[in-house]
Amino acid sequence: MKTITILGSTGSIGTQALEVCREHKIKVKALAAHSNVKMLAEQVIEFGAEYACIYDENKLGELEKLLCGRGVDLLTGMEGLKTIAQLDGVDIMLNSVVGMVGLVPTLTAIEHGTDIALANKETLVAGGKLVINAAKEKGVMIYLVDSEHSAIFQSQQGNSMNRVKGIILTASGGPFYGKTTEELRGVTVEQALNHPNWSMGNKITIDSATLMNKGLEFIEAMWLFDLRPEQIEIVVHRESVIHSAVEYEDNSVIAQLGVPDMKIPIQYALLYPNRVHCDVKHLSLTDYGRLTFAKPDYDTFKCLTACIKAVTAGGILPAAVNGANEQAVAAFLAGKISFLAIGELVTEVLENTENKEIHNVDDILAADSAAREYVAKRIEEGQYQ
Ligand code: NDP
Ligand code: MG
């Protein structure tokens, strides 16, 4: 029986991962959330976790009350996440928090020698080189939860001796596929949160609407599969049935298909290399009838272009565009800026950041903070309503 810990257990990925744990009898040793104490406490009780971390210190008292007398070790803040990342007797730590805050716990777990199941894409975008090098050095496996990267990994099974020519990274196109910049001017938060195929947390849903999500995945793919930008083709595939594909030396393309349901890649990451029953719908290709493919619109969806430019230049720029995006998305969700402002702010940060090499985690955190401050200041100045 595997033993896991989950950072971000109350979110979209975290709750689905717990369903997998329930069905496949995976032992859960520790759980962490940001502020949803009630759900966290319920999960800790149901799964018999020995450690519970609530990141928001102000909620610790409430958690104490809810778990009183159960012998659970209670933790808080970054120190709490790091404690979980260093627990012994853990096979996999699932990192499914949202945002750059996941970077330090990931590095801590790798340092400890614990394998990672990674959903938290911001970690690899900002700290790709450090994370990948540390994992190689420690012989730690990174199992991929994001459906596209899981599909690429799955399409490589049994092909380790063959040269990868490139990958096809599929994109649903989000709720605003085919729209012009003019048509996107008045977009509301509600419209942006209405994703056609996937039900996910708010931040990634907005990232999917701006196509930032595909930009983040492009960067993630480069690090995970050791690819150059020109080896990755982004293809808009509205139906989200082909979850991505790998092209080999002989021009054969191997893809992974399935209904759009995160349970499949979550379960594959947690139970690898086993394929066992998964509680999702059967894929009926005849129900779909036809699958469609198109090029993305790089002019309208500025975030995607900014990510590709950032990773092509390298250094701190991916961390900067990610930080700018996190700050801008939070402002959009809070009703402070328009939808189009997200892409404009991300582009502005890309163009105004002086690039530097990354030597350590502090360089990444500094780039992230500088980008966030820049965006916060521009919004405060009233430039981007
Ligand atoms: P959600 O917003 O649904 O959930 C985020 C989770 O992280 C919540 O449990 C939240 O706790 C927790 N959290 C946030 N900040 C902290 C913190 N500082 N310390 C501890 N816990 C924290 O996000 P998703 O599940 O949708 O996404 C999670 C990650 O997975 C993102 O990086 C996303 O890009 C990636 N991903 C998601 C997919 C999806 O289908 N949802 C698909 C592929 C990748 P609380 O509830 O208390 O706020
Ligand atoms: Mg994805």
Side-chain angles (χ1 to χ4, degrees):
M1 197 207 302
K2 280 192 181 171
T3 298
I4 70 162
T5 56
I6 305 180
L7 308 185
S9 62
T10 52
S12 161
I13 294 287
T15 50
Q16 292 179 83
L18 283 173
E19 285 172 29
V20 172
C21 293
R22 195 182 286 123
E23 190 181 353
H24 297 288
K25 310 269 177 293
I26 295 172
K27 184 171 157 38
V28 179
K29 188 166 179 128
L31 295 172
H34 181 273
S35 45
N36 189 349
V37 265
K38 202 165 167 281
M39 191 191 286
L40 178 67
E42 283 166 10
Q43 294 176 337
V44 166
I45 293 168
E46 178 188 345
F47 289 90
E50 298 160 41
Y51 298 81
C53 173
I54 193 80
Y55 188 85
D56 180 354
E57 260 178 71
N58 299 320
K59 303 273 179 158
L60 188 60
E62 215 177 308
L63 188 65
E64 264 162 10
K65 271 191 210 142
L66 290 166
L67 294 175
C68 176
R70 292 184 180 268
V72 180
D73 269 315
L74 303 183
L75 309 162
T76 187
M78 183 51 77
E79 282 312 308
L81 299 183
K82 282 165 70 177
T83 301
I84 292 182
Q86 297 175 80
L87 291 175
D88 290 328
V90 174
D91 296 302
I92 297 178
M93 179 182 89
L94 168 62
N95 184 345
S96 55
V97 302
V98 60
M100 248 286 286
V101 70
L103 176 63
V104 170
T106 295
L107 287 171
T108 308
I110 293 174
E111 193 53 39
H112 189 70
T114 304
D115 289 343
I116 311 272
L118 193 66
N120 176 237
K121 58 188 78 185
E122 296 87 351
T123 285
L124 268 187
V125 168
K129 194 171 160 187
L130 283 189
V131 173
I132 295 298
N133 288 347
K136 273 192 194 143
E137 208 173 288
K138 287 277 170 184
V140 157
M141 273 299 295
I142 301 182
Y143 300 107
L144 309 172
V145 172
D146 210 343
S147 59
E148 293 77 1
H149 305 90
S150 175
I152 295 162
F153 179 71
Q154 294 184 52
S155 302
Q156 290 188 353
Q157 299 305 299
N159 273 300
S160 59
M161 302 301 284
N162 296 316
R163 200 178 79 84
V164 169
K165 221 166 145 180
I167 61 166
I168 295 168
L169 187 66
T170 52
S172 73
F176 305 133
Y177 173 68
K179 298 258 188 266
T180 61
T181 302
E182 214 34 61
E183 287 167 331
L184 293 177
R185 234 167 254 296
V187 157
T188 63
V189 171
E190 199 190 3
Q191 287 168 326
L193 284 176
N194 188 18
H195 195 279
N197 301 348
W198 299 95
S199 155
M200 311 175 285
N202 283 355
K203 195 260 176 181
I204 184 177
T205 305
I206 301 302
D207 286 350
S208 300
T210 60
L211 293 203
M212 181 75 190
N213 185 49
K214 212 44 58 181
L216 298 176
E217 291 179 357
F218 186 100
I219 301 175
E220 251 188 306
M222 280 181 60
W223 288 118
L224 289 168
F225 305 109
D226 197 16
L227 297 167
R228 297 183 306 279
E230 59 275 19
Q231 290 178 287
I232 305 176
E233 183 187 7
I234 299 175
V235 173
V236 177
H237 164 47
R238 296 294 283 159
E239 299 78 16
S240 298
V241 165
I242 298 178
H243 297 306
S244 282
V246 179
E247 184 182 17
Y248 290 93
E249 192 61 24
D250 62 352
N251 287 357
S252 280
V253 176
I254 300 185
Q256 185 256 342
L257 283 70
V259 291
D261 192 319
M262 285 306 295
K263 269 268 193 73
I264 300 175
I266 293 171
Q267 176 168 307
Y268 191 69
L270 296 182
L271 297 180
Y272 177 84
N274 299 316
R275 288 188 189 274
V276 291
H277 172 259
C278 187
D279 187 20
V280 298
K281 278 209 296 218
H282 161 75
L283 171 66
S284 166
L285 286 174
T286 51
D287 280 356
Y288 279 92
R290 61 196 287 265
L291 299 177
T292 59
F293 307 97
K295 289 192 164 91
D297 173 354
Y298 291 97
D299 293 329
T300 306
F301 296 92
K302 293 187 189 317
C303 288
L304 177 57
T305 308
C307 285
I308 296 173
K309 281 189 182 162
V311 75
T312 305
I316 59 167
L317 293 184
V321 295
N322 178 67
N325 180 61
E326 286 194 31
Q327 192 74 23
V329 169
F332 171 68
L333 285 169
K336 290 188 189 157
I337 60 169
S338 67
F339 179 75
L340 287 177
I342 303 171
E344 287 162 13
L345 282 161
V346 167
T347 308
E348 203 181 310
V349 166
L350 174 71
E351 285 167 358
N352 288 287
T353 301
E354 197 186 318
N355 203 6
K356 289 189 205 121
E357 279 300 308
I358 291 175
H359 300 289
N360 52 44
V361 71
D362 291 337
D363 293 335
I364 301 169
L365 299 176
D368 176 67
S369 302
R372 285 169 193 267
E373 278 162 27
Y374 185 101
V375 168
K377 187 160 163 278
R378 294 294 279 161
I379 295 172
E380 215 177 274
E381 287 168 359
Q383 297 293 325
Y384 279 104
Q385 253 105 49

